[in-house]
């Protein structure tokens, strides 16, 4: 046997290993008269060896040779790619004949008021994604492995790639961008791209053909991941409608049909206080009840979908079923901050048998259901947002009280 060691920048050193030179028996263990004799220990084996560039022959212990001269198959890494789920920043799925699914992770805002807004969040397109579903897919990709010779195809030729549907022109491409994390203050490391080519799913063996781009090895892996890869973009939509990590809701205007609308605007409280002071600006300009206005603004900015109902609503359903052709309420939400866009929430009919109402955003797209409790807050109108306390004054500031009765009399 030959063992070649090449050091960085150096020339190879070749060790030639020959026959067994001797075996040294292990000394017998001490005798314990009260215990049965222990089994004998194996002896120590030595072999002849020499360096290729030196005629001197010497002996080496043979006990470590098994680690050096291992079966190459035992050295294969069964994992297709190694990475940490937390380090993935982008994921794209490109399947032939299907729309691209692109998922992007954005960093949380460390200075945000809400704990949820300080965490990283995933997006599918412009919508907040369901973190659990994204993590489920990335975890499944990280765990892909091919164990055993029967699940490995080394250096497949073009015909074999076509048989496994791994031809790059036809295979589904799953691309991950992995950004290694570093300590605060350190320079970021270069991002790494991992591309999976996903091919034939054999229902008989429940094996899915997968190849990592740049590696001359095709793998047959458990096909459970195929269902996750095949999911459309709509599956990844989260329940939260609005991203408030960077943006803040500072105004809202409600148009009612029928009825009178109202509008609220918030201004920053004087330091060191945080938050907004809310005032009604329509139908009249006046102070709003702080707790009720803050509650309404918070419920709208952090509104969650109860259920996605219809991704391609027909015009007749928008009118008769959902009541969104002429919405009962239209709420213009004034978000401010990086990336903030004008947003209109339209609310239609109540959902039969559920404490929910149909709604959609900006007069287009999917119809979804939202909690009735938020609709009730809006339906209360401006009167429900007025302070219940008419004025605030301490008794030591009152000099006199005059009460005028309906009959024209007065009391002092």
């Amino acid at each position: 046997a030959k063992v070649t060691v090449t050091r960085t920048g150096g020339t190879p050193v070749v060790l030639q290993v020959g026959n067994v030179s001797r075996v040294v028996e292990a000394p017998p263990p001490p005798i314990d008269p009260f215990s049965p004799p222990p089994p004998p220990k194996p002896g120590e084996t030595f072999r002849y060896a020499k360096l290729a560039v030196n005629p001197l022959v010497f002996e080496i212990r043979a006990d470590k040779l098994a680690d050096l001269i291992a079966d190459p198959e035992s050295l294969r890494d069964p994992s297709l790619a190694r990475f940490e789920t937390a380090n993935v920043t982008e994921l794209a799925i490109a399947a032939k004949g299907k729309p691209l699914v692109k998922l992007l992770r954005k960093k949380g805002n460390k200075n945000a008021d809400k704990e949820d807004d300080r965490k990283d969040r995933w997006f599918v397109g412009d919508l907040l994604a369901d973190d659990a579903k994204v993590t489920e897919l990335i975890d499944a990709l990280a765990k892909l492995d091919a164990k055993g010779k029967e699940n490995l195809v080394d250096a497949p030729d073009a015909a074999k790639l076509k048989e496994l549907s791994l031809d790059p022109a036809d295979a589904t491409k799953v691309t991950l961008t992995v950004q290694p994390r570093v300590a605060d203050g350190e320079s970021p490391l270069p991002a790494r791209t991992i591309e999976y080519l996903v091919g034939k799913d054999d229902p008989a063996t429940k094996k899915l053909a997968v190849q990592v781009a740049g590696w001359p090895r095709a793998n047959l892996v458990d096909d459970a991941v195929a269902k996750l890869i095949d999911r459309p973009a709509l599956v990844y939509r989260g329940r939260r409608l609005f991203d408030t990590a960077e943006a803040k809701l500072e105004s809202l205007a409600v148009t009612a049909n029928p009825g009178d609308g109202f509008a609220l605007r918030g201004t920053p409280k004087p330091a060191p206080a945080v938050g907004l002071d809310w005032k009604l600006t329509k139908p009249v300009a006046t102070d709003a009840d702080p707790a009720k206005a803050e509650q309404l603004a918070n419920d709208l900015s952090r509104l969650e979908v109860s259920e996605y109902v219809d991704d391609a609503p027909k015009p007749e359903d928008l009118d008769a079923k959902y009541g969104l052709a002429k919405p009962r309420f239209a709420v213009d939400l004034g978000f401010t901050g990086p990336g903030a866009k004008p947003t209109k929430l339209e609310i239609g009919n109540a959902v039969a048998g559920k404490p929910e109402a149909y709604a959609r955003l900006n007069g287009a797209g999917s119809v979804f259901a939202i909690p009735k409790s938020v609709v009730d807050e809006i339906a209360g109108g401006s009167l429900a947002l007025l302070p219940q306390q008419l004025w605030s004054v301490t008794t030591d500031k009152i000099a006199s009280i005059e009460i005028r009765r309906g009959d024209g009399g007065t009391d002092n």
Side-chain angles (χ1 to χ4, degrees):
K2 292 183 180 180
V3 178
T4 303
V5 178
T6 303
R7 287 176 284 192
T8 303
T11 57
V13 178
V14 180
L15 175 67
Q16 298 172 339
V17 182
N19 295 332
V20 174
S21 60
R22 59 194 172 101
V23 177
V24 178
E25 299 295 336
I31 298 175
D32 184 350
F34 302 103
S35 301
K41 292 184 178 181
E44 188 171 15
T45 301
F46 292 81
R47 285 183 176 269
Y48 294 116
K50 68 181 288 294
L51 295 175
V53 297
N54 193 321
L56 178 65
V57 176
F58 49 87
E59 287 184 323
I60 62 171
R61 289 184 172 87
D63 56 341
K64 301 297 184 183
L65 287 176
D67 295 335
L68 293 175
I69 310 173
D71 179 2
E73 290 296 326
S74 68
L75 300 178
R76 285 181 181 267
D77 186 352
S79 297
L80 273 63
R82 291 189 176 273
F83 60 88
E84 294 183 21
T85 298
N87 291 345
V88 177
T89 58
E90 293 184 35
L91 188 153
I93 303 173
K96 192 172 182 179
K98 295 182 180 180
L100 176 70
V101 177
K102 189 166 185 178
L103 301 162
L104 177 68
R105 193 184 74 192
K106 293 185 179 180
K107 286 188 172 295
N109 179 5
K110 294 181 180 180
N111 300 318
D113 295 333
K114 305 283 186 181
E115 182 179 352
D116 286 349
D117 293 335
R118 294 193 286 269
K119 299 177 181 177
D120 291 358
R121 66 267 190 221
W122 281 95
F123 283 79
V124 52
D126 293 332
L127 301 175
L128 283 165
D130 185 326
D131 286 0
K133 286 187 170 64
V134 179
T135 300
E136 180 186 21
L137 173 57
I138 297 175
D139 281 346
L141 292 170
K143 293 175 183 177
L144 287 180
D145 59 21
K147 296 178 180 177
K149 287 184 177 181
E150 69 279 7
N151 292 319
L152 300 173
V153 182
D154 289 314
D157 57 19
K160 189 63 176 179
L161 289 175
K162 191 170 185 64
E163 176 189 335
L164 296 173
S165 300
L166 288 176
D167 186 300
D170 299 319
T172 294
K173 295 179 177 67
V174 180
T175 306
L176 301 179
T177 301
V178 182
Q179 179 65 64
R181 297 202 174 191
V182 297
D184 290 342
E186 292 187 5
S187 299
L189 297 173
R192 180 165 63 106
T193 298
I194 302 171
E195 183 179 83
Y196 296 90
L197 301 178
V198 182
K200 180 181 178 181
D201 184 4
D202 188 338
T205 61
K206 296 188 180 299
K207 292 292 183 179
L208 178 69
V210 182
Q211 185 178 27
V212 177
W215 288 92
R217 184 181 97 181
N219 310 270
L220 303 179
V221 303
D222 189 320
D223 70 349
V225 72
K227 294 179 180 179
L228 302 182
I229 294 172
D230 286 343
R231 294 191 298 201
L234 294 177
V235 171
Y236 293 99
R237 290 177 302 189
R239 292 189 179 275
R240 278 278 301 276
L241 286 176
F242 311 117
D243 177 26
T244 55
E246 303 288 348
K248 289 185 176 181
L249 180 63
E250 294 192 347
S251 66
L252 62 95
V254 176
T255 302
N257 179 29
D260 297 324
F262 64 90
L264 282 168
R265 180 170 293 277
T267 55
K269 294 179 179 179
V274 295
L276 300 175
D277 279 324
W278 289 94
K279 294 182 180 294
L280 280 162
T281 60
K282 183 182 177 182
V284 293
T286 184
D287 290 336
D289 184 284
K292 292 180 180 178
E294 181 69 27
Q295 182 68 42
L296 175 60
N298 186 67
D299 288 347
L300 285 170
S301 65
R302 307 183 73 80
L303 184 61
E304 292 192 358
V305 170
S306 303
E307 178 186 4
Y308 286 98
V309 177
D310 193 341
D311 293 319
K314 298 176 182 178
E316 58 267 28
D317 288 337
L318 284 173
D319 185 15
K321 182 177 181 180
Y322 303 129
L324 290 168
K326 296 179 180 179
R328 185 159 47 123
F329 299 107
V331 186
D332 288 291
L333 301 168
F335 287 99
T336 62
K341 298 177 182 178
T343 303
K344 178 176 289 188
L345 174 68
E346 297 178 341
I347 302 172
N349 294 337
V351 179
K354 294 182 179 180
E356 300 168 356
Y358 295 116
R360 66 174 178 170
L361 292 176
N362 301 318
S366 302
V367 173
F368 47 84
I370 60 173
K372 180 177 179 292
S373 58
V374 178
V375 182
D376 290 343
E377 287 183 78
I378 296 169
S382 58
L383 292 178
L385 294 169
L386 291 173
Q388 292 184 335
Q389 188 173 1
L390 297 179
W391 63 77
S392 177
V393 61
T394 57
T395 55
D396 61 317
K397 302 294 183 181
I398 300 175
S400 64
I401 298 176
E402 179 178 309
I403 301 174
R404 294 188 178 184
R405 299 193 300 268
D407 58 5
T410 61
D411 292 323
N412 293 312

